[in-house]
Amino acid sequence: MMEKPVTSIDTIAKTCIAGRLRLLNRVVTGIYDDALRPFGLKISQGNILILTGKLGVASPVQVCDYLQLDISTLSRNVELMRKNGWLEDVPGEDARSHPFRLTAAGKKLIEKAIPAWEQAQAEARKLLGEEFVSLLNTAAKRVSEANRR
Amino acid sequence: MMEKPVTSIDTIAKTCIAGRLRLLNRVVTGIYDDALRPFGLKISQGNILILTGKLGVASPVQVCDYLQLDISTLSRNVELMRKNGWLEDVPGEDARSHPFRLTAAGKKLIEKAIPAWEQAQAEARKLLGEEFVSLLNTAAKRVSEANRR
DNA sequence: CTGCGATAATTGTATATACAAGCATCTGCC
DNA sequence: GGCAGATGCTTGTATATACAATTATCGCAG
């Protein structure tokens, strides 16, 4: 007969999902940040830039919904990128909303940084393994759907 | 014949490993932080506490090696937990090193928080899927080995 | 035993992140 | 038309995170 397992400190250390995910996040973020450093760009901002580029005109709520980011976090991130000249405000009908878009400099930055991103992506893929990367897609989709409900 | 694929903004948005990992990290960290909030504990500190408990007496370099954390990050995290009465300094032979261990209060905190951790763990597992979680282990091991070389 | 390179940690600075509270605006109801 | 609740964002505060520079100590080569 199996005993009901008692969760020990050791078990947590060995199995905590958050712990592992956070560790991988630190390592992988480091890989991309290293690669992007010559451009004065970090992957945290890079992902916002890219999404903005995809959206054309982006509203904070929309970006936060995609990225599962707190809106206050985005607010300050966008402010930095505006100061860097990569994003600009777009006047909108609803005065509550402050949409933004890429500037020419922002677009140029992305183009210049793509080879570095590709290199980081290759390194991360190699480190994590193909299988993990493909499940990452699945998991990310699941999470997005779960939060869209 | 296959063309060499040109990396577009859209491709990056859809495939960036760092972006997905960071998104999952935010969501999952949120799950654990919500569960642990009643104890005034966040998973970031929780993982350090747990590892410290496992090690008995922990040195900063050692913890940073396990968790792939910058030592300056750990330094300030430990300071907060010392102020909270969860960790205490251990006098060591080498005056450069500042090892620490759990206090009685720290151990008690872990015990009290375990059910909440279990709940968060179950929720995260369900959200991410069994398969992803098991590959998370593999990937984390790989990363640790890669950085031990 | 002395000084120099290596190691361990802290401190300065900046960004990333979230929660709570606040402010402005909008929308619908009367 | 005006108020009440909803919505979108910003601001205050706190922690997490990393890089660079500094401080303190150690160990060894001479």
Side-chain angles (χ1 to χ4, degrees):
Chain A
M1 278 158 288
M2 307 236 317
E3 300 283 315
K4 177 170 195 295
V6 174
T7 303
S8 67
I9 283 190
D10 219 63
T11 303
I12 299 179
K14 280 193 193 130
T15 65
C16 181
I17 295 168
R20 288 157 196 290
L21 201 49
R22 292 171 59 79
L23 186 151
L24 290 186
N25 180 56
R26 284 190 292 270
V27 172
V28 170
T29 295
I31 291 172
Y32 287 76
D33 281 355
D34 286 350
L36 297 174
R37 191 159 299 125
F39 306 95
L41 182 63
K42 300 179 71 178
I43 192 60
S44 45
Q45 299 191 359
N47 287 135
I48 297 172
L49 280 186
I50 289 289
L51 178 55
T52 305
K54 190 179 161 177
L55 292 173
V57 172
S59 77
V61 269
Q62 192 181 13
V63 169
C64 287
D65 189 55
Y66 272 97
L67 299 183
Q68 294 295 304
L69 256 184
D70 189 273
I71 194 170
S72 67
T73 300
L74 183 71
S75 189
R76 290 176 236 241
N77 265 328
V78 166
E79 198 192 336
L80 290 173
M81 292 189 275
R82 200 161 1 106
K83 276 185 188 157
N84 275 329
W86 302 332
L87 294 180
E88 65 189 357
D89 285 353
V90 177
E93 321 82 57
D94 187 333
R96 287 171 304 181
S97 135
H98 288 198
F100 51 86
R101 70 181 155 217
L102 290 182
T103 61
K107 281 176 199 157
K108 206 166 199 170
L109 174 67
I110 292 176
E111 303 236 327
K112 278 194 307 177
I114 283 180
W117 174 85
E118 285 173 331
Q119 208 177 316
Q121 180 87 346
E123 192 178 336
R125 190 184 302 278
K126 193 176 155 198
L127 179 66
L128 299 172
E130 281 298 338
E131 242 192 318
F132 179 84
V133 170
S134 86
L135 279 184
L136 195 56
N137 288 349
T138 315
K141 260 180 216 149
R142 270 165 89 140
V143 169
S144 296
E145 275 161 26
N147 280 60
R148 212 169 303 289
R149 251 175 260 135
Chain B
M1 277 159 287
M2 308 234 315
E3 302 282 314
K4 178 172 194 294
V6 173
T7 304
S8 67
I9 284 190
D10 219 63
T11 303
I12 299 180
K14 280 194 194 128
T15 64
C16 182
I17 295 168
R20 288 156 196 288
L21 201 50
R22 292 171 60 80
L23 186 152
L24 290 185
N25 180 55
R26 283 190 292 270
V27 172
V28 169
T29 294
I31 292 172
Y32 286 76
D33 282 355
D34 286 349
L36 297 174
R37 190 160 298 125
F39 307 96
L41 182 63
K42 299 180 70 177
I43 192 61
S44 46
Q45 298 191 0
N47 287 135
I48 296 172
L49 279 185
I50 290 289
L51 178 56
T52 304
K54 191 180 161 177
L55 292 174
V57 173
S59 76
V61 269
Q62 192 181 12
V63 169
C64 288
D65 189 56
Y66 272 96
L67 299 182
Q68 294 293 308
L69 256 183
D70 189 273
I71 195 170
S72 67
T73 301
L74 183 71
S75 191
R76 287 174 238 240
N77 265 328
V78 166
E79 197 192 338
L80 290 173
M81 293 189 272
R82 201 160 2 105
K83 277 185 189 155
N84 275 329
W86 302 333
L87 293 179
E88 66 188 356
D89 285 353
V90 177
E93 321 82 55
D94 188 333
R96 285 172 304 181
S97 132
H98 289 197
F100 52 86
R101 69 181 156 220
L102 291 182
T103 61
K107 283 176 199 156
K108 206 167 201 169
L109 173 67
I110 291 176
E111 304 236 327
K112 280 194 306 178
I114 283 180
W117 176 85
E118 285 172 332
Q119 209 177 316
Q121 180 87 347
E123 192 178 335
R125 190 183 303 279
K126 193 176 153 198
L127 179 66
L128 299 173
E130 281 297 338
E131 242 192 318
F132 179 84
V133 170
S134 85
L135 278 185
L136 195 56
N137 288 349
T138 317
K141 259 179 216 150
R142 269 166 88 140
V143 169
S144 297
E145 275 161 27
N147 280 59
R148 213 170 300 292
R149 250 175 261 138

